[in-house]
Amino acid sequence: MIYTTLSATDVRKNWSQFNDDVVREGPRFVRRNRDEWAALSSEHLEAAFDHLEINSTVFIENDKSYTMSVNDLDITENAESLEEVLDLVADALVDYAQEYMDSFQMYFNSPNRRKHLPYVLKLIAQPDYDAVRSLIVYA
């Protein structure tokens, strides 16, 4: 690692200072035996994935309903209006992010789901449902 890694023992001894440093000065990296982990604030997490878009494609079906498919995730919804399908997709994104986190080892270790992690982290960093809905970019 090219950045200074702190020992878990030192972090534990100075826990309050460590937390203050993470929030006020920036992310920190910690090593405990062979395990390495990173600590960062919610603001840093949000900034790390700021560039990531939730791109979707909208189709108007023969029955005039709207189908929206999230391009990089396995999420597709259908509704009578564009507003309604946006709501359904936002709900599905929130549900998927929660499910991913609840069964993290299974999803992260699945080859077809590992690549979803940046999207999940971006979603869980959002302060509320409206923020999640505003992430959806569609064409």
Side-chain angles (χ1 to χ4, degrees):
M1 183 167 289
I2 63 171
Y3 187 76
T4 303
T5 302
L6 306 170
S7 77
T9 302
D10 290 340
V11 168
R12 191 172 34 254
K13 287 179 187 175
N14 302 297
W15 183 247
S16 291
Q17 184 62 53
F18 173 76
N19 283 287
D20 290 344
D21 290 348
V22 167
V23 172
R24 291 182 181 81
E25 296 179 22
R28 297 292 188 264
F29 298 88
V30 181
R31 172 176 280 150
R32 179 178 173 263
N33 301 324
R34 290 179 298 177
D35 297 329
E36 291 184 15
W37 55 278
L40 63 159
S41 73
S42 295
E43 181 181 6
H44 302 147
L45 179 64
E46 198 170 334
F49 297 105
D50 190 46
H51 68 285
L52 194 64
E53 293 184 337
I54 309 288
N55 291 308
S56 302
T57 305
V58 176
F59 305 94
I60 301 175
E61 305 291 349
N62 290 336
D63 66 357
K64 306 291 188 236
S65 67
Y66 291 81
T67 297
M68 181 177 283
S69 179
V70 178
N71 298 348
D72 293 315
L73 302 172
D74 299 327
I75 294 174
T76 301
E77 296 291 342
N78 178 272
E80 296 299 315
S81 70
L82 183 58
E83 288 300 309
E84 190 178 350
V85 81
L86 276 167
D87 285 339
L88 291 174
V89 167
D91 288 340
L93 288 167
V94 169
D95 290 346
Y96 181 65
Q98 185 64 51
E99 183 179 326
Y100 194 106
M101 294 304 293
D102 288 347
S103 300
F104 186 82
Q105 286 303 316
M106 181 187 74
Y107 281 98
F108 185 71
N109 291 308
S110 297
N112 62 328
R113 303 286 181 162
R114 180 182 283 252
K115 65 183 179 185
H116 295 175
L117 180 60
Y119 296 99
V120 169
L121 293 175
K122 182 173 181 94
L123 290 164
I124 65 172
Q126 300 309 305
D128 56 35
Y129 173 83
D130 289 335
V132 169
R133 193 176 187 277
S134 73
L135 295 176
I136 303 167
V137 177
Y138 59 93

